[in-house]
Amino acid sequence: MGNTKSSALSKELLEELKSSTKYSEVELCSWYQSFLKECPSGKISKEQFEGIYASFFPNADPTEYARHVFRSFDTNADGTLDFKEYIVALHLTSGGKTLQKLEWAFALYDVDGNGTISNNEILEIVRSIFNMIPVEDQKNLPEDENTPEKRAEKIWECFGKKENDKISEGEFIQGVMNNKDILRLIQYDEPQKIKDKLREKKQ
């Protein structure tokens, strides 16, 4: 009986994910089967998650960024992602409503989980984003944001903060909603590539 249970999504979880992510029943069930194939335990470890990211970015090093993304979605801090956490991660990094996406972005940048973001935390995440940008592409970035330090400084200035200030979640969300430039600066915007890869895996 256990096997039957583990190979099919529970109706409750299916309904919850359908309403929170807008993925279809067919997509969710198909992803669940693929998820179980890759992770028979029903959980994905940090190392497996990093491996998935690595396959999306063969010309760069996404390890640090993947680690931060994993941390931000491991909501119960047990060192693994279950199917629900995994799908929510997929949804928010490749779509998602603006507010949900910004709440996730705040969690991503709040490295120590203390409820505020410091200048150093912004620099840490921006560095991990730069690791995913091929060196050739980095050469094409604007002069005032072509290094992690310059980009982090630019983000900090957009929020109008002094060096030792902190940013609360409310300030972060408000700041990004009021300034589209910040949104561009804080994200690594290649989620479509990830989404397409996942769709390929389903076939």
Side-chain angles (χ1 to χ4, degrees), residues 38-39 44-58 60-67 69-70 81 86 194 197-198 201:
E38 306 241 346
C39 317
I44 186 167
S45 71
K46 188 163 69 174
E47 291 71 28
Q48 284 172 306
F49 189 78
E50 286 168 15
I52 290 169
Y53 255 78
S55 70
F56 298 149
F57 302 97
D61 179 12
T63 313
E64 278 300 313
Y65 187 72
R67 199 168 291 153
V69 171
F70 185 91
L81 296 186
Y86 179 68
I194 293 173
K197 283 265 185 185
L198 279 156
K201 277 194 172 185

Side-chain angles (χ1 to χ4, degrees), residues 83-131:
F83 184 68
K84 180 181 172 182
E85 288 168 326
Y86 179 68
I87 287 296
V88 168
L90 170 64
H91 172 61
L92 286 181
T93 52
S94 60
K97 293 179 184 153
T98 304
L99 185 59
Q100 282 180 316
K101 205 164 182 172
L102 293 182
E103 285 170 347
W104 165 66
F106 180 83
L108 178 70
Y109 276 85
D110 181 13
V111 176
D112 63 8
N114 72 347
T116 60
I117 295 173
S118 69
N119 201 345
N120 284 339
E121 286 174 317
I122 283 187
L123 181 56
E124 186 172 336
I125 301 297
V126 170
R127 276 199 182 121
S128 71
I129 289 173
F130 263 73
N131 288 342

Side-chain angles (χ1 to χ4, degrees), residues 1-16:
M1 199 166 92
N3 283 345
T4 326
K5 241 184 176 173
S6 65
S7 63
L9 262 176
S10 76
K11 200 158 178 56
E12 293 79 8
L13 183 56
L14 187 59
E15 289 309 315
E16 186 185 339

Side-chain angles (χ1 to χ4, degrees), residues 14-28 31 87 91 95-97 100 195 199:
L14 187 59
E15 289 309 315
E16 186 185 339
L17 289 173
K18 269 166 62 182
S19 77
S20 63
T21 67
K22 305 303 177 208
Y23 291 135
S24 71
E25 191 164 327
V26 173
E27 281 179 314
L28 288 166
W31 274 331
I87 287 296
H91 172 61
K97 293 179 184 153
Q100 282 180 316
K195 209 170 177 185
R199 287 184 188 284

